[in-house]
Amino acid sequence: MSMATQNRRAGTIYFKVDGYQYDAKGDFTYNLGNPKREGIIGADGIHGFKETPQLPYIEGKLTDKADLDLDRLTLLDDVTVTLELANGKVITGANMWYAADGNGSTGEAELDVRFEGKTKLEEI
């Protein structure tokens, strides 16, 4: 890790779909898709836990621009999505699809994006 990023934890991010970089805005959230664990509690105490699947996703907001094809964006399927974090990690999802409502706002030219997939995201 370079000296410039040893202590940086948050800030600049890069959001890409099939290698094309979009204008990322604000906070992005993601879920790797590991199973969710929930405790099983009986009348006599804790019995253990159950696991249920979770949907892997990456979501956030983009800034709209003149050459951004909104129709194409909302129909994307079977794409690779990457989120490069300020701390040096890269979150990658393969075979993902666009899953947001397609909402945008004019106040700051924001677009909501969400990509989901069937397979666990990778943390590099």
Side-chain angles (χ1 to χ4, degrees):
M1 182 176 278
S2 71
M3 293 296 284
T5 62
Q6 279 186 337
N7 294 303
R8 183 173 57 189
R9 301 293 184 256
T12 304
I13 60 171
Y14 298 98
F15 176 76
K16 298 176 185 176
V17 177
D18 280 348
Y20 177 82
Q21 184 172 319
Y22 288 85
D23 291 344
K25 182 173 189 169
D27 289 337
F28 269 68
T29 58
Y30 54 91
N31 185 310
L32 297 178
N34 288 327
K36 179 179 179 180
R37 291 181 173 177
E38 297 175 90
I40 298 173
I41 302 170
D44 58 349
I46 299 170
H47 295 179
F49 64 88
K50 67 177 181 178
E51 283 190 344
T52 54
Q54 289 196 92
L55 188 66
Y57 72 86
I58 297 174
E59 71 179 340
K61 294 185 182 298
L62 302 180
T63 301
D64 195 3
K65 57 184 182 177
D67 65 347
L68 178 58
D69 185 339
L70 298 175
D71 191 47
R72 181 182 172 283
L73 176 67
T74 61
L75 296 175
L76 287 174
D77 184 17
D78 197 26
V79 293
T80 299
V81 178
T82 57
L83 184 60
E84 298 175 19
L85 308 178
N87 62 11
K89 290 182 182 179
V90 178
I91 307 300
T92 303
N95 308 109
M96 299 190 88
W97 58 85
Y98 183 90
D101 291 333
N103 296 332
S105 67
T106 59
E108 296 211 15
E110 288 183 341
L111 299 170
D112 293 332
V113 294
R114 180 178 172 108
F115 285 86
E116 299 173 347
K118 290 182 178 181
T119 58
K120 183 180 170 192
L121 302 181
E122 290 185 36
E123 175 188 1
I124 303 169

